[in-house]
Amino acid sequence: MHSYLPSNISIKKSLLLVFITTYSSFCYGQDTAYNQFWSEVQFTKTINEKWSAELDIANSYSSTESSSNIFENNVQKSFRLWGHYYLNPRWKTSAFLAYFDNKDVPEIGQFKSPEWRFALQGIYYFHKVGYTLSTRSRLEIRHIRNEDQEYENVFRYRQQIKYLKPINSKVLRKGVIYGITSDELFFKSGTKVTGESFFDRNRFNIGAGYLFSDDIQLEVTYVNEILPRNKGTQTVNAASLTLTFNNLFENVKNKVFHKETSKTTTEDE
């Protein structure tokens, strides 16, 4: 019986093949991670029992591979105008038109790509005692500029599930702290500017909110976003802050008018 022992040449060839395969995977499929800060201010206005309008102003900052500072670069600014229609206590439908100024930030593989975006959205609420579960579906049309200075239309579908629970009360009202968590899947059409992959990203969100009043609330959350790309998976860890004002100008006007009325009444007395 003869046993087969590989020669040194065969071993070297095998090791060289493993090295080349591993090195190629590292070069062409290298994963990257960035730390970011997202901020958004929302102004909502009640029109009547069924309709409301909203304006969102947002900013995003990011670290780079050479700097861990989450404010190293301003990577995006956006302005978004919403219209909301409440079908009933469970269904809310919305549409928005937005402009996104995606900055030129080569350090994170991003080039300047201004974008107009239009979306249709529906949210269904499962109202329960002590918590609210909701599911959101959104279809977006993104008119965005690619590296060739040409505009492309990207269609993207997003599906989110969200859980919200008041902590120091059973209902949301002034002085209440609440916890929130959500997960969202993104699917898109293939284009030059966003890549050919059908699955775009997964976004997980967890944090808390506080109601200063019925018309002012703050949410602070941690966001983990995973983006599979041809050159490797990109991971974003973001601190997100959202400040919301409901009927801000009307409330300020009413307070000023109330003070003037009280002052006049006191002087008359």
Side-chain angles (χ1 to χ4, degrees):
M1 180 180 294
H2 300 280
S3 61
Y4 175 73
L5 295 176
S7 65
N8 289 336
I9 295 177
S10 299
I11 294 175
K12 289 180 180 179
K13 286 183 177 179
S14 298
L15 291 174
L16 181 61
L17 181 61
V18 171
F19 173 77
I20 292 174
T21 303
T22 304
Y23 182 75
S24 299
S25 299
F26 178 79
C27 290
Y28 296 101
Q30 186 176 5
D31 294 347
T32 54
Y34 301 106
N35 299 317
Q36 299 187 349
F37 177 77
W38 302 348
S39 65
E40 184 171 13
V41 182
Q42 302 175 345
F43 301 93
T44 66
K45 175 180 173 55
T46 301
I47 298 173
N48 54 45
E49 292 183 355
K50 290 290 187 178
W51 288 93
S52 69
E54 180 180 336
L55 172 65
D56 299 343
I57 302 172
N59 257 304
S60 297
Y61 297 85
S62 179
S63 66
T64 64
E65 292 187 28
S66 60
S67 173
S68 59
N69 180 9
I70 63 174
F71 297 101
E72 183 68 19
N73 284 283
N74 178 221
V75 296
Q76 185 187 79
K77 293 180 181 292
S78 67
F79 303 89
R80 182 164 45 184
L81 184 62
W82 289 86
H84 302 290
Y85 180 72
Y86 301 85
L87 292 170
N88 53 52
R90 291 187 177 274
W91 274 106
K92 175 184 175 182
T93 59
S94 308
F96 75 68
L97 178 66
Y99 176 74
F100 287 78
D101 181 17
N102 301 305
K103 306 291 186 179
D104 184 31
V105 189
E107 294 88 345
I108 65 171
Q110 178 175 301
F111 57 91
K112 187 172 180 59
S113 51
E115 169 190 357
W116 286 96
R117 189 181 302 183
F118 173 75
L120 295 174
Q121 174 179 288
I123 302 178
Y124 184 79
Y125 296 93
F126 301 88
H127 296 292
K128 303 294 182 180
V129 178
Y131 71 92
T132 297
L133 186 67
S134 63
T135 178
R136 184 182 76 186
S137 301
R138 180 188 295 178
L139 179 62
E140 298 176 331
I141 302 175
R142 306 174 64 191
H143 188 62
I144 184 170
R145 194 173 74 184
N146 60 31
E147 289 182 283
D148 298 328
Q149 308 299 307
E150 299 175 346
Y151 278 86
E152 295 182 285
N153 290 321
V154 182
F155 296 90
R156 187 164 69 175
Y157 176 76
R158 300 167 55 169
Q159 186 65 50
Q160 181 199 72
I161 186 168
K162 181 177 180 179
Y163 176 80
L164 186 152
K165 180 175 176 57
I167 295 174
N168 56 333
S169 174
K170 290 186 178 181
V171 296
L172 293 177
R173 53 182 174 79
K174 179 180 178 180
V176 171
I177 300 171
Y178 58 92
I180 48 176
T181 184
S182 66
D183 193 71
E184 186 171 18
L185 299 174
F186 295 63
F187 304 93
K188 63 176 178 59
S189 59
T191 57
K192 289 181 182 179
V193 67
T194 60
E196 297 298 328
S197 61
F198 174 65
F199 179 70
D200 185 38
R201 68 192 66 189
N202 181 81
R203 179 180 293 173
F204 173 75
N205 192 21
I206 188 168
Y210 178 74
L211 279 82
F212 295 95
S213 69
D214 292 338
D215 294 315
I216 303 176
Q217 68 186 78
L218 175 69
E219 289 186 358
V220 179
T221 62
Y222 160 73
V223 183
N224 175 260
E225 197 171 63
I226 298 175
L227 303 84
R229 296 294 183 262
N230 295 335
K231 295 182 180 180
T233 300
Q234 180 176 316
T235 302
V236 173
N237 296 296
S240 176
L241 185 150
T242 303
L243 183 62
T244 302
F245 297 95
N246 299 317
N247 301 311
L248 175 64
F249 300 107
E250 288 83 353
N251 291 335
V252 171
K253 180 180 177 181
N254 290 337
K255 285 184 178 181
V256 172
F257 180 76
H258 178 71
K259 286 182 179 180
E260 290 179 349
T261 302
S262 300
K263 183 178 178 181
T264 303
T265 303
T266 303
E267 290 176 350
D268 291 340
E269 292 175 351

Short mmCIF file of all heavy atoms in Angstrom, two decimals, residues 74-123:
data_model
loop_
_atom_site.label_atom_id
_atom_site.label_comp_id
_atom_site.label_asym_id
_atom_site.label_seq_id
_atom_site.Cartn_x
_atom_site.Cartn_y
_atom_site.Cartn_z
N ASN A 74 -20.17 67.32 6.46
CA ASN A 74 -21.60 67.43 6.23
C ASN A 74 -21.90 66.71 4.91
O ASN A 74 -21.42 67.12 3.86
CB ASN A 74 -22.02 68.90 6.13
CG ASN A 74 -23.49 69.09 5.85
OD1 ASN A 74 -23.87 69.94 5.07
ND2 ASN A 74 -24.34 68.27 6.44
N VAL A 75 -22.63 65.60 4.97
CA VAL A 75 -22.80 64.76 3.78
C VAL A 75 -24.14 64.96 3.09
O VAL A 75 -24.30 64.60 1.92
CB VAL A 75 -22.62 63.27 4.14
CG1 VAL A 75 -21.21 63.01 4.61
CG2 VAL A 75 -23.63 62.82 5.19
N GLN A 76 -25.12 65.52 3.79
CA GLN A 76 -26.43 65.69 3.17
C GLN A 76 -27.27 66.74 3.88
O GLN A 76 -27.27 66.84 5.11
CB GLN A 76 -27.20 64.35 3.17
CG GLN A 76 -28.53 64.38 2.44
CD GLN A 76 -29.31 63.08 2.63
OE1 GLN A 76 -29.93 62.88 3.66
NE2 GLN A 76 -29.24 62.19 1.64
N LYS A 77 -27.99 67.54 3.08
CA LYS A 77 -29.03 68.44 3.58
C LYS A 77 -30.30 68.13 2.80
O LYS A 77 -30.23 67.76 1.62
CB LYS A 77 -28.66 69.91 3.37
CG LYS A 77 -27.48 70.41 4.20
CD LYS A 77 -27.20 71.88 3.90
CE LYS A 77 -26.01 72.40 4.69
NZ LYS A 77 -26.30 72.47 6.13
N SER A 78 -31.45 68.26 3.44
CA SER A 78 -32.68 67.98 2.72
C SER A 78 -33.82 68.86 3.22
O SER A 78 -33.84 69.29 4.37
CB SER A 78 -33.07 66.50 2.86
OG SER A 78 -33.42 66.19 4.19
N PHE A 79 -34.76 69.10 2.31
CA PHE A 79 -36.00 69.84 2.60
C PHE A 79 -37.15 69.01 2.05
O PHE A 79 -37.13 68.62 0.88
CB PHE A 79 -35.97 71.22 1.94
CG PHE A 79 -34.79 72.05 2.34
CD1 PHE A 79 -33.60 71.98 1.62
CD2 PHE A 79 -34.86 72.90 3.43
CE1 PHE A 79 -32.50 72.74 1.98
CE2 PHE A 79 -33.77 73.67 3.80
CZ PHE A 79 -32.58 73.58 3.08
N ARG A 80 -38.15 68.76 2.89
CA ARG A 80 -39.23 67.85 2.47
C ARG A 80 -40.58 68.43 2.88
O ARG A 80 -40.79 68.82 4.02
CB ARG A 80 -39.00 66.48 3.11
CG ARG A 80 -40.01 65.43 2.72
CD ARG A 80 -39.50 64.04 3.07
NE ARG A 80 -38.91 63.95 4.41
CZ ARG A 80 -38.34 62.85 4.88
NH1 ARG A 80 -38.27 61.77 4.14
NH2 ARG A 80 -37.84 62.84 6.11
N LEU A 81 -41.51 68.49 1.91
CA LEU A 81 -42.85 69.02 2.15
C LEU A 81 -43.87 67.90 2.03
O LEU A 81 -43.95 67.24 1.00
CB LEU A 81 -43.16 70.13 1.15
CG LEU A 81 -44.50 70.87 1.33
CD1 LEU A 81 -44.53 71.58 2.69
CD2 LEU A 81 -44.71 71.86 0.21
N TRP A 82 -44.64 67.69 3.11
CA TRP A 82 -45.60 66.59 3.20
C TRP A 82 -47.04 67.09 3.13
O TRP A 82 -47.35 68.20 3.55
CB TRP A 82 -45.48 65.88 4.54
CG TRP A 82 -44.27 65.04 4.79
CD1 TRP A 82 -43.08 65.47 5.27
CD2 TRP A 82 -44.17 63.62 4.62
NE1 TRP A 82 -42.23 64.40 5.42
CE2 TRP A 82 -42.86 63.26 5.03
CE3 TRP A 82 -45.03 62.64 4.16
CZ2 TRP A 82 -42.42 61.95 4.99
CZ3 TRP A 82 -44.59 61.33 4.13
CH2 TRP A 82 -43.29 60.99 4.54
N GLY A 83 -47.91 66.18 2.69
CA GLY A 83 -49.35 66.33 2.86
C GLY A 83 -49.87 65.02 3.46
O GLY A 83 -49.55 63.94 2.96
N HIS A 84 -50.62 65.11 4.57
CA HIS A 84 -51.14 63.92 5.25
C HIS A 84 -52.66 63.91 5.22
O HIS A 84 -53.30 64.95 5.44
CB HIS A 84 -50.68 63.89 6.72
CG HIS A 84 -49.20 63.91 6.91
ND1 HIS A 84 -48.38 62.85 6.58
CD2 HIS A 84 -48.39 64.88 7.42
CE1 HIS A 84 -47.13 63.15 6.89
NE2 HIS A 84 -47.11 64.38 7.39
N TYR A 85 -53.22 62.74 4.98
CA TYR A 85 -54.68 62.57 5.01
C TYR A 85 -55.01 61.38 5.90
O TYR A 85 -54.47 60.28 5.73
CB TYR A 85 -55.22 62.33 3.60
CG TYR A 85 -56.72 62.14 3.57
CD1 TYR A 85 -57.58 63.22 3.79
CD2 TYR A 85 -57.28 60.89 3.33
CE1 TYR A 85 -58.95 63.05 3.78
CE2 TYR A 85 -58.65 60.71 3.32
CZ TYR A 85 -59.49 61.80 3.55
OH TYR A 85 -60.86 61.62 3.54
N TYR A 86 -55.90 61.60 6.88
CA TYR A 86 -56.26 60.57 7.84
C TYR A 86 -57.59 59.94 7.41
O TYR A 86 -58.66 60.55 7.56
CB TYR A 86 -56.38 61.17 9.24
CG TYR A 86 -55.09 61.83 9.70
CD1 TYR A 86 -54.81 63.16 9.34
CD2 TYR A 86 -54.17 61.14 10.47
CE1 TYR A 86 -53.63 63.77 9.75
CE2 TYR A 86 -52.98 61.74 10.89
CZ TYR A 86 -52.72 63.05 10.51
OH TYR A 86 -51.56 63.65 10.91
N LEU A 87 -57.50 58.72 6.89
CA LEU A 87 -58.71 58.03 6.45
C LEU A 87 -59.61 57.69 7.63
O LEU A 87 -60.83 57.84 7.57
CB LEU A 87 -58.34 56.75 5.70
CG LEU A 87 -57.65 56.94 4.34
CD1 LEU A 87 -57.12 55.61 3.83
CD2 LEU A 87 -58.65 57.53 3.33
N ASN A 88 -59.00 57.20 8.70
CA ASN A 88 -59.70 56.82 9.93
C ASN A 88 -58.63 56.70 11.03
O ASN A 88 -57.44 56.92 10.77
CB ASN A 88 -60.49 55.51 9.75
CG ASN A 88 -59.63 54.38 9.20
OD1 ASN A 88 -58.57 54.08 9.74
ND2 ASN A 88 -60.08 53.76 8.11
N PRO A 89 -59.00 56.34 12.26
CA PRO A 89 -58.00 56.25 13.33
C PRO A 89 -56.87 55.25 13.06
O PRO A 89 -55.81 55.34 13.70
CB PRO A 89 -58.83 55.83 14.55
CG PRO A 89 -60.20 56.36 14.27
CD PRO A 89 -60.38 56.18 12.79
N ARG A 90 -57.07 54.32 12.13
CA ARG A 90 -56.04 53.31 11.87
C ARG A 90 -55.20 53.60 10.63
O ARG A 90 -54.05 53.18 10.54
CB ARG A 90 -56.68 51.92 11.74
CG ARG A 90 -57.23 51.38 13.05
CD ARG A 90 -57.68 49.94 12.89
NE ARG A 90 -58.16 49.39 14.16
CZ ARG A 90 -57.38 48.83 15.08
NH1 ARG A 90 -56.08 48.75 14.86
NH2 ARG A 90 -57.88 48.34 16.18
N TRP A 91 -55.76 54.30 9.66
CA TRP A 91 -55.06 54.52 8.39
C TRP A 91 -54.67 55.98 8.21
O TRP A 91 -55.49 56.88 8.35
CB TRP A 91 -55.93 54.10 7.20
CG TRP A 91 -55.84 52.65 6.84
CD1 TRP A 91 -56.77 51.69 7.07
CD2 TRP A 91 -54.75 52.01 6.16
NE1 TRP A 91 -56.34 50.47 6.58
CE2 TRP A 91 -55.09 50.64 6.02
CE3 TRP A 91 -53.52 52.45 5.66
CZ2 TRP A 91 -54.26 49.71 5.40
CZ3 TRP A 91 -52.67 51.53 5.05
CH2 TRP A 91 -53.05 50.18 4.93
N LYS A 92 -53.40 56.20 7.86
CA LYS A 92 -52.89 57.53 7.53
C LYS A 92 -52.15 57.43 6.19
O LYS A 92 -51.23 56.63 6.04
CB LYS A 92 -51.94 58.02 8.62
CG LYS A 92 -51.25 59.34 8.32
CD LYS A 92 -50.26 59.67 9.44
CE LYS A 92 -49.45 60.91 9.14
NZ LYS A 92 -48.45 61.18 10.21
N THR A 93 -52.56 58.23 5.22
CA THR A 93 -51.88 58.24 3.92
C THR A 93 -51.16 59.57 3.74
O THR A 93 -51.60 60.61 4.25
CB THR A 93 -52.88 58.04 2.77
OG1 THR A 93 -53.86 59.09 2.81
CG2 THR A 93 -53.58 56.69 2.89
N SER A 94 -50.03 59.53 3.03
CA SER A 94 -49.21 60.72 2.89
C SER A 94 -48.53 60.77 1.53
O SER A 94 -48.39 59.74 0.86
CB SER A 94 -48.12 60.75 3.99
OG SER A 94 -48.67 60.58 5.27
N ALA A 95 -48.09 61.96 1.18
CA ALA A 95 -47.27 62.16 -0.02
C ALA A 95 -46.29 63.28 0.28
O ALA A 95 -46.59 64.18 1.07
CB ALA A 95 -48.13 62.51 -1.23
N PHE A 96 -45.10 63.20 -0.32
CA PHE A 96 -44.15 64.29 -0.13
C PHE A 96 -43.35 64.57 -1.39
O PHE A 96 -43.17 63.71 -2.25
CB PHE A 96 -43.22 64.06 1.07
CG PHE A 96 -42.11 63.04 0.86
CD1 PHE A 96 -41.05 63.27 -0.02
CD2 PHE A 96 -42.11 61.86 1.59
CE1 PHE A 96 -40.02 62.35 -0.17
CE2 PHE A 96 -41.09 60.93 1.44
CZ PHE A 96 -40.04 61.18 0.55
N LEU A 97 -42.86 65.80 -1.47
CA LEU A 97 -41.91 66.24 -2.49
C LEU A 97 -40.71 66.78 -1.74
O LEU A 97 -40.86 67.60 -0.83
CB LEU A 97 -42.51 67.31 -3.38
CG LEU A 97 -41.58 67.87 -4.46
CD1 LEU A 97 -41.23 66.80 -5.49
CD2 LEU A 97 -42.23 69.07 -5.16
N ALA A 98 -39.50 66.32 -2.12
CA ALA A 98 -38.30 66.70 -1.36
C ALA A 98 -37.13 66.98 -2.27
O ALA A 98 -37.05 66.48 -3.40
CB ALA A 98 -37.95 65.59 -0.38
N TYR A 99 -36.19 67.78 -1.74
CA TYR A 99 -34.92 68.01 -2.41
C TYR A 99 -33.80 67.58 -1.47
O TYR A 99 -33.76 68.00 -0.31
CB TYR A 99 -34.73 69.48 -2.78
CG TYR A 99 -33.38 69.76 -3.39
CD1 TYR A 99 -33.09 69.37 -4.70
CD2 TYR A 99 -32.38 70.39 -2.65
CE1 TYR A 99 -31.85 69.62 -5.26
CE2 TYR A 99 -31.13 70.64 -3.21
CZ TYR A 99 -30.87 70.24 -4.52
OH TYR A 99 -29.63 70.47 -5.06
N PHE A 100 -32.90 66.72 -1.97
CA PHE A 100 -31.77 66.23 -1.18
C PHE A 100 -30.48 66.73 -1.82
O PHE A 100 -30.21 66.46 -2.99
CB PHE A 100 -31.76 64.71 -1.14
CG PHE A 100 -32.83 64.11 -0.26
CD1 PHE A 100 -34.15 64.03 -0.70
CD2 PHE A 100 -32.54 63.64 1.01
CE1 PHE A 100 -35.14 63.49 0.09
CE2 PHE A 100 -33.53 63.10 1.81
CZ PHE A 100 -34.83 63.02 1.36
N ASP A 101 -29.69 67.44 -1.04
CA ASP A 101 -28.39 67.92 -1.50
C ASP A 101 -27.33 66.95 -0.98
O ASP A 101 -26.82 67.11 0.14
CB ASP A 101 -28.14 69.33 -0.97
CG ASP A 101 -26.81 69.90 -1.44
OD1 ASP A 101 -26.23 69.36 -2.40
OD2 ASP A 101 -26.33 70.88 -0.83
N ASN A 102 -27.02 65.93 -1.77
CA ASN A 102 -26.00 64.94 -1.40
C ASN A 102 -24.62 65.50 -1.75
O ASN A 102 -24.30 65.71 -2.92
CB ASN A 102 -26.25 63.63 -2.14
CG ASN A 102 -27.62 63.06 -1.82
OD1 ASN A 102 -27.98 62.85 -0.68
ND2 ASN A 102 -28.42 62.83 -2.86
N LYS A 103 -23.80 65.74 -0.73
CA LYS A 103 -22.54 66.44 -0.91
C LYS A 103 -21.47 65.55 -1.58
O LYS A 103 -21.58 64.33 -1.59
CB LYS A 103 -22.02 66.92 0.44
CG LYS A 103 -22.99 67.75 1.25
CD LYS A 103 -23.24 69.11 0.62
CE LYS A 103 -24.11 69.97 1.53
NZ LYS A 103 -24.35 71.31 0.97
N ASP A 104 -20.43 66.22 -2.08
CA ASP A 104 -19.28 65.53 -2.65
C ASP A 104 -18.32 65.19 -1.51
O ASP A 104 -17.61 66.06 -0.99
CB ASP A 104 -18.59 66.42 -3.68
CG ASP A 104 -17.45 65.71 -4.38
OD1 ASP A 104 -17.54 64.48 -4.53
OD2 ASP A 104 -16.47 66.38 -4.76
N VAL A 105 -18.32 63.92 -1.08
CA VAL A 105 -17.48 63.48 0.03
C VAL A 105 -16.75 62.21 -0.40
O VAL A 105 -17.18 61.09 -0.09
CB VAL A 105 -18.30 63.23 1.31
CG1 VAL A 105 -17.39 63.00 2.50
CG2 VAL A 105 -19.27 64.37 1.59
N PRO A 106 -15.63 62.33 -1.14
CA PRO A 106 -14.90 61.15 -1.63
C PRO A 106 -14.42 60.23 -0.51
O PRO A 106 -14.26 59.02 -0.72
CB PRO A 106 -13.71 61.77 -2.38
CG PRO A 106 -14.13 63.16 -2.70
CD PRO A 106 -15.01 63.59 -1.57
N GLU A 107 -14.21 60.81 0.70
CA GLU A 107 -13.70 60.00 1.82
C GLU A 107 -14.64 58.86 2.20
O GLU A 107 -14.21 57.89 2.81
CB GLU A 107 -13.45 60.89 3.04
CG GLU A 107 -12.32 61.91 2.86
CD GLU A 107 -12.80 63.21 2.26
OE1 GLU A 107 -13.94 63.25 1.72
OE2 GLU A 107 -12.05 64.20 2.31
N ILE A 108 -15.91 58.99 1.88
CA ILE A 108 -16.86 57.91 2.18
C ILE A 108 -17.44 57.32 0.90
O ILE A 108 -18.46 56.63 0.92
CB ILE A 108 -17.99 58.38 3.11
CG1 ILE A 108 -18.87 59.44 2.43
CG2 ILE A 108 -17.44 58.91 4.42
CD1 ILE A 108 -20.13 59.78 3.21
N GLY A 109 -16.78 57.60 -0.23
CA GLY A 109 -17.23 57.05 -1.51
C GLY A 109 -18.47 57.71 -2.05
O GLY A 109 -19.23 57.10 -2.81
N GLN A 110 -18.72 58.95 -1.67
CA GLN A 110 -19.92 59.66 -2.12
C GLN A 110 -19.53 60.83 -3.02
O GLN A 110 -18.64 61.62 -2.70
CB GLN A 110 -20.71 60.18 -0.92
CG GLN A 110 -21.96 60.99 -1.29
CD GLN A 110 -22.77 61.38 -0.07
OE1 GLN A 110 -23.23 60.53 0.67
NE2 GLN A 110 -22.96 62.68 0.15
N PHE A 111 -20.19 60.95 -4.16
CA PHE A 111 -19.98 62.09 -5.05
C PHE A 111 -21.21 62.99 -5.01
O PHE A 111 -22.27 62.59 -4.54
CB PHE A 111 -19.70 61.62 -6.49
CG PHE A 111 -20.79 60.76 -7.06
CD1 PHE A 111 -21.84 61.33 -7.77
CD2 PHE A 111 -20.78 59.38 -6.90
CE1 PHE A 111 -22.85 60.55 -8.29
CE2 PHE A 111 -21.80 58.59 -7.42
CZ PHE A 111 -22.83 59.17 -8.12
N LYS A 112 -21.05 64.22 -5.50
CA LYS A 112 -22.16 65.17 -5.46
C LYS A 112 -23.28 64.67 -6.36
O LYS A 112 -23.11 64.51 -7.57
CB LYS A 112 -21.70 66.56 -5.91
CG LYS A 112 -22.77 67.63 -5.73
CD LYS A 112 -22.23 69.01 -5.99
CE LYS A 112 -23.31 70.08 -5.79
NZ LYS A 112 -23.88 70.08 -4.43
N SER A 113 -24.45 64.43 -5.76
CA SER A 113 -25.58 63.88 -6.51
C SER A 113 -26.88 64.50 -6.03
O SER A 113 -27.62 63.89 -5.24
CB SER A 113 -25.63 62.35 -6.36
OG SER A 113 -25.57 61.98 -4.98
N PRO A 114 -27.16 65.73 -6.46
CA PRO A 114 -28.43 66.37 -6.08
C PRO A 114 -29.61 65.52 -6.53
O PRO A 114 -29.55 64.84 -7.54
CB PRO A 114 -28.38 67.72 -6.80
CG PRO A 114 -27.37 67.56 -7.87
CD PRO A 114 -26.37 66.58 -7.37
N GLU A 115 -30.68 65.58 -5.74
CA GLU A 115 -31.79 64.65 -5.97
C GLU A 115 -33.13 65.29 -5.63
O GLU A 115 -33.28 65.95 -4.60
CB GLU A 115 -31.58 63.41 -5.10
CG GLU A 115 -32.75 62.46 -5.01
CD GLU A 115 -32.56 61.40 -3.95
OE1 GLU A 115 -31.48 61.36 -3.32
OE2 GLU A 115 -33.50 60.61 -3.74
N TRP A 116 -34.10 65.09 -6.52
CA TRP A 116 -35.50 65.39 -6.24
C TRP A 116 -36.19 64.06 -5.96
O TRP A 116 -35.92 63.06 -6.63
CB TRP A 116 -36.17 66.09 -7.42
CG TRP A 116 -35.74 67.52 -7.57
CD1 TRP A 116 -34.77 68.00 -8.39
CD2 TRP A 116 -36.28 68.64 -6.87
NE1 TRP A 116 -34.65 69.36 -8.25
CE2 TRP A 116 -35.58 69.78 -7.33
CE3 TRP A 116 -37.29 68.80 -5.93
CZ2 TRP A 116 -35.85 71.06 -6.85
CZ3 TRP A 116 -37.56 70.08 -5.45
CH2 TRP A 116 -36.85 71.19 -5.91
N ARG A 117 -37.05 64.06 -4.96
CA ARG A 117 -37.69 62.80 -4.57
C ARG A 117 -39.19 63.02 -4.34
O ARG A 117 -39.60 63.99 -3.70
CB ARG A 117 -37.04 62.25 -3.30
CG ARG A 117 -37.48 60.84 -2.93
CD ARG A 117 -36.81 60.38 -1.64
NE ARG A 117 -35.35 60.39 -1.70
CZ ARG A 117 -34.56 59.98 -0.72
NH1 ARG A 117 -35.11 59.53 0.42
NH2 ARG A 117 -33.25 60.03 -0.85
N PHE A 118 -39.98 62.10 -4.86
CA PHE A 118 -41.44 62.11 -4.65
C PHE A 118 -41.83 60.76 -4.07
O PHE A 118 -41.28 59.71 -4.46
CB PHE A 118 -42.18 62.34 -5.97
CG PHE A 118 -43.68 62.19 -5.85
CD1 PHE A 118 -44.44 63.18 -5.24
CD2 PHE A 118 -44.32 61.06 -6.34
CE1 PHE A 118 -45.81 63.04 -5.11
CE2 PHE A 118 -45.69 60.91 -6.22
CZ PHE A 118 -46.44 61.91 -5.61
N ALA A 119 -42.77 60.75 -3.12
CA ALA A 119 -43.15 59.49 -2.48
C ALA A 119 -44.62 59.46 -2.12
O ALA A 119 -45.24 60.49 -1.83
CB ALA A 119 -42.30 59.26 -1.23
N LEU A 120 -45.16 58.25 -2.14
CA LEU A 120 -46.50 57.95 -1.63
C LEU A 120 -46.33 56.97 -0.48
O LEU A 120 -45.53 56.03 -0.55
CB LEU A 120 -47.37 57.33 -2.73
CG LEU A 120 -47.69 58.23 -3.92
CD1 LEU A 120 -48.44 57.44 -5.00
CD2 LEU A 120 -48.52 59.45 -3.49
N GLN A 121 -47.12 57.17 0.57
CA GLN A 121 -46.92 56.38 1.78
C GLN A 121 -48.23 56.07 2.48
O GLN A 121 -49.17 56.88 2.46
CB GLN A 121 -46.00 57.16 2.74
CG GLN A 121 -45.81 56.55 4.11
CD GLN A 121 -44.87 57.39 4.95
OE1 GLN A 121 -43.66 57.43 4.72
NE2 GLN A 121 -45.41 58.10 5.93
N GLY A 122 -48.29 54.90 3.10
CA GLY A 122 -49.45 54.53 3.91
C GLY A 122 -48.99 53.91 5.22
O GLY A 122 -48.04 53.12 5.24
N ILE A 123 -49.63 54.29 6.32
CA ILE A 123 -49.31 53.74 7.64
C ILE A 123 -50.57 53.15 8.24
O ILE A 123 -51.63 53.79 8.27
CB ILE A 123 -48.74 54.80 8.60
CG1 ILE A 123 -47.48 55.44 8.01
CG2 ILE A 123 -48.44 54.19 9.96
CD1 ILE A 123 -46.90 56.54 8.90
#
